[in-house]
Amino acid sequence: MDRKQIIMSFSVPPSTDDLGVMAREVLDTVPEELVGFCEDMGIVVEEFPDSVVEQELELEDPYELLVLYRSGAEISPGVTKKSTDEEDTMIVYRRALLDLWCETGDDLAALLRQAIIEEIGQNFDFSEEEVEDMVGRHYQGML
């Protein structure tokens, strides 16, 4: 039986709660270079990006965005508050992630891990090569 048949045999797709738990596990096991950026980071799971996010990021399709890092100090992209009491948040977009999972047949946890590492790496100015290295690295039992 091939991987796509196995994936499609699930009777119920992972819930928002399930993906929240998976995302927390990813954040708890990120590569050492990213640990300091993930401490106390909140997790939010939503079905799709809202219209404001779609406009801010100029998305043509809401399925383009798997995860989004939001700084607690950020009002909108590029505009920050001088002080904040809000925590940084990783938003996981459930439908886009599940669609990619079904389309590729790849391991859902690995897809989520890759998306989160790439999002954090891009937001904190890691090079593409550094991000690729972190994604590809076997880390704490992942992959």
Side-chain angles (χ1 to χ4, degrees), residues 23 26-28 30-31 33-39 41 43 67-70 88-90 112-127 131 134-135:
V26 169
L27 289 178
D28 288 344
V30 293
E33 300 94 323
L34 302 179
V35 169
F37 301 111
C38 298
E39 292 173 351
M41 184 180 291
I43 302 281
V67 298
L68 178 65
Y69 169 80
R70 283 283 186 187
D88 294 348
T89 303
M90 182 63 64
L112 181 59
R113 180 178 184 274
Q114 177 177 349
I116 287 174
I117 289 172
E118 287 176 353
E119 183 69 7
I120 296 168
Q122 289 170 2
N123 275 281
F124 292 101
D125 298 323
F126 285 86
S127 71
V131 171
M134 288 185 277
V135 167

Side-chain angles (χ1 to χ4, degrees), residues 86-104:
E86 297 178 34
E87 65 183 5
D88 294 348
T89 303
M90 182 63 64
I91 304 168
V92 176
Y93 295 106
R94 180 178 174 270
R95 293 288 305 274
L97 187 63
L98 294 181
D99 191 63
L100 179 63
W101 176 48
C102 289
E103 182 180 307
T104 63

